[in-house]
Amino acid sequence: MAKSAIVHDYHHPQPGSTPTFTLDEKVQHAILQNGIERPKGYTVSYHGNPAVERQHFGERHPMKPWRLTLTNKIVLAYGMHDAMDLYLSRAATHQELTEFHTEDYIDFLQRTTPDNFSVTPDDNRFNIGDDCPIFDGLYTYASLYAGASLDAARKLTNHQSFIAINWSGGLHHAKKSEASGFCYINDIVLAILQLLRHHPRVLYIDIDVHHGDGVEQAFWSTDRVMTLSFHKYCKETFFPGTGPLDSTGPPNPSNPGAHHSLNVPLHDGIEDDQYTRLFADIVGPAVATYQPTAIVLQCGADSLGGDRLGCFNLGIKAHGACLAFVKKFHLPTLVLGGGGYTPRNVARLWAYETSLCIGAEVHDKMPAHTPFLEYFEDNRTLFPPLGQFNKKFENRNTPKYLQSLVVGVRESLRYVEGSPSVQMQHIPPDLGPVREEVDEEIRREREEEEGGRRQRERGRGVRGELY
């Protein structure tokens, strides 16, 4: 019998040309299709720990850490991991957590479990309740997402990364000795303190639908950090009820933090063009005036249309346009997650914003090999029309009102006398006595204003998710 009738040379088909390829080969095909490659001239790092994704706040709680699983699966399906440095983050240590938080609060989180927890007047001061429950693995969860943000900040200060991403972070409501708004550890504050060891000035930008109150309070009396929050504001009905336009820092003009806390209070229903224009009109002058040497961007996804707890009408591309605008300043940038309570849309958004960080233009239809693809329903697109159809909220932001916000913020920036000059020989890890002064001043100024805050913190999950 002729040899050729038995043995044939094997020709490996091109990736993706048959339905029987391994997952690795399908991902390689997606990399080629979407033009995924490592960015030229800068490095992007991706930080996290799968143990965070496995935590569970409770069946009825709006916060779903497995939204991170969906995010990572999309990122991997497109092959975006091939363009980044990937880091498995460790948990933040007790010492690292207490650079901002109090010892007794961290000790409470570390020792408390559902089995030994009972609400006493003493424990109630930590604001544990429906919105911030005690669940199995709580301390592991909080220390891991904080550790990822610290790791990302260190990669920026060590010049190992230029854009560092931690989608498990961005939990901006936690206070020094208090949980708040689903947040236990304020990883943002800890990361900024890390950046301040190297950077003289850090600009913090928050595009979550809720006010970034915890970060604002932490840096209330310093000019080393400027906070800028875009959020829905209603003192009586929308958590946390803080962040009006005229809240710009300590009222005493001699306090270094005066005019360094900027707020952009929005009404229900703001749409794509309005939001992106407003963002550019405010962030551009803020960067030009303050001249930060690093930026921290909190990308809360609850500002998307159709979010369970949100009230804006933003699409995924408009939200991403804000990140793209920040990226144009070519400054070391820490990119964090935050709110977001319709998990499939959170995952779409953060996967898309990961693509923006690496400079890739991904196809709108998610790869067929994406795990849990059935969860994204029939359209299976990265860009569902969240802000265009079936709007849940009427747009109450008039052009006149939005222009008043631009004028108000720019007026505050007039009082910022250029970038502060900083002696870099020694940077206290927790801003030392300044923080105690901040806590007392905030307590005094806001005691009456926050009288009904705990009522407003109750979960507001509703039926009727759009996508």
Side-chain angles (χ1 to χ4, degrees):
M1 183 180 293
K3 178 180 177 181
S4 60
I6 299 174
V7 179
H8 298 274
D9 290 335
Y10 176 70
H11 298 285
H12 196 290
Q14 291 301 307
S17 62
T18 77
T20 59
F21 279 121
T22 66
L23 180 60
D24 283 347
E25 289 174 312
K26 291 176 181 176
V27 170
Q28 286 301 315
H29 182 57
I31 290 172
L32 294 174
Q33 274 193 323
N34 291 279
I36 304 294
E37 59 182 3
R38 294 187 71 86
K40 293 179 174 59
Y42 67 98
T43 301
V44 178
S45 57
Y46 196 82
H47 305 260
N49 191 304
V52 174
E53 305 166 23
R54 296 193 288 269
Q55 305 307 318
H56 188 52
F57 278 60
E59 182 180 354
R60 296 183 179 275
H61 199 285
M63 177 62 91
K64 308 293 184 186
W66 56 268
R67 62 193 182 151
L68 299 167
T69 302
L70 293 178
T71 301
N72 292 332
K73 295 300 185 185
I74 300 174
V75 168
L76 291 169
Y78 275 104
M80 288 185 252
H81 60 287
D82 203 52
M84 300 183 286
D85 292 340
L86 309 181
Y87 292 96
L88 178 67
S89 302
R90 64 166 176 81
T93 65
H94 188 282
Q95 181 179 356
E96 288 170 331
L97 296 176
T98 53
E99 288 194 355
F100 171 60
H101 295 284
T102 59
E103 292 269 358
D104 57 345
Y105 176 56
I106 297 302
D107 289 342
F108 169 80
L109 292 180
Q110 193 165 18
R111 72 171 185 267
T112 304
T113 68
D115 294 331
N116 65 22
F117 175 66
S118 61
V119 180
T120 66
D122 184 58
D123 287 341
N124 197 47
R125 64 196 168 102
F126 299 130
N127 197 30
I128 298 300
D130 290 344
D131 278 6
C132 298
I134 297 296
F135 56 87
D136 285 325
L138 168 59
Y139 185 74
T140 298
Y141 166 74
S143 58
L144 279 173
Y145 76 68
S149 290
L150 283 168
D151 183 40
R154 290 187 180 113
K155 294 298 184 291
L156 293 176
T157 58
N158 293 338
H159 307 293
Q160 292 175 262
S161 180
F162 195 72
I163 299 175
I165 304 168
N166 172 27
W167 294 127
S168 68
L171 296 159
H172 57 175
H173 294 306
K175 311 303 191 297
K176 185 173 184 177
S177 58
E178 184 179 294
S180 179
F182 315 159
C183 307
Y184 299 88
I185 297 297
N186 200 315
D187 64 291
I188 306 170
V189 173
L190 295 173
I192 291 175
L193 289 172
Q194 186 68 35
L195 292 173
L196 289 175
R197 297 176 185 273
H198 177 82
H199 291 277
R201 296 171 304 283
V202 175
L203 174 62
Y204 170 69
I205 306 171
D206 191 315
I207 55 175
D208 195 288
V209 77
H210 300 94
H211 179 225
D213 58 334
V215 183
E216 179 184 272
Q217 288 184 18
F219 299 107
W220 186 253
S221 287
T222 179
D223 59 3
R224 297 284 308 281
V225 179
M226 175 176 280
T227 62
L228 172 55
S229 178
F230 296 77
H231 53 269
K232 161 66 185 288
Y233 172 70
C234 180
K235 182 177 179 181
E236 290 76 24
T237 63
F238 197 79
F239 176 80
T242 54
L245 180 63
D246 59 1
S247 178
T248 60
N252 185 345
S254 64
N255 189 307
H259 305 290
H260 283 75
S261 297
L262 305 178
N263 287 295
V264 186
L266 299 165
H267 301 316
D268 288 350
I270 191 166
E271 298 175 359
D272 291 356
D273 290 345
Q274 289 178 316
Y275 195 91
T276 53
R277 188 181 310 114
L278 180 72
F279 187 86
D281 287 347
I282 288 177
V283 171
V287 171
T289 300
Y290 187 59
Q291 299 177 38
T293 56
I295 294 176
V296 177
L297 179 62
Q298 196 267 20
C299 298
D302 49 7
S303 47
L304 291 176
D307 188 82
R308 287 183 66 193
L309 302 187
C311 55
F312 291 169
N313 291 321
L314 297 184
I316 286 171
K317 287 189 176 181
H319 196 288
C322 298
L323 186 152
F325 185 81
V326 169
K327 187 182 173 188
K328 290 178 181 178
F329 293 111
H330 304 291
L331 292 170
T333 302
L334 175 59
V335 178
L336 301 171
Y341 308 102
T342 303
R344 55 183 171 271
N345 292 338
V346 176
R348 285 170 162 130
L349 174 70
W350 290 347
Y352 173 59
E353 292 184 334
T354 301
S355 76
L356 294 176
C357 289
I358 63 175
E361 295 185 10
V362 295
H363 295 170
D364 59 351
K365 195 168 186 63
M366 286 187 278
H369 58 269
T370 305
F372 309 116
L373 191 59
E374 67 279 2
Y375 185 74
F376 295 91
E377 300 184 346
D378 293 339
N379 55 40
R380 298 180 179 181
T381 176
L382 207 57
F383 308 113
L386 301 179
Q388 297 177 25
F389 306 108
N390 301 319
K391 294 177 182 176
K392 291 174 64 177
F393 294 91
E394 179 185 350
N395 187 359
R396 300 185 180 277
N397 298 274
T398 65
K400 182 178 180 181
Y401 176 69
L402 296 178
Q403 184 58 32
S404 74
L405 297 179
V406 175
V407 171
V409 172
R410 290 184 177 181
E411 179 65 18
S412 295
L413 288 171
R414 287 202 313 113
Y415 294 93
V416 178
E417 298 177 355
S419 55
S421 176
V422 178
Q423 295 290 329
M424 295 302 294
Q425 287 85 352
H426 174 68
I427 301 174
D430 63 353
L431 298 185
V434 173
R435 187 168 307 289
E436 301 302 326
E437 176 190 338
V438 171
D439 290 340
E440 182 58 31
E441 185 173 351
I442 292 170
R443 190 177 299 112
R444 247 190 349 260
E445 292 178 355
R446 301 189 175 183
E447 189 173 19
E448 293 183 5
E449 188 176 303
E450 295 188 352
R453 174 174 57 78
R454 294 186 190 276
Q455 265 43 11
R456 293 195 297 270
E457 284 185 1
R458 295 195 174 277
R460 301 177 62 234
V462 295
R463 296 181 181 275
E465 299 174 12
L466 295 181
Y467 290 93

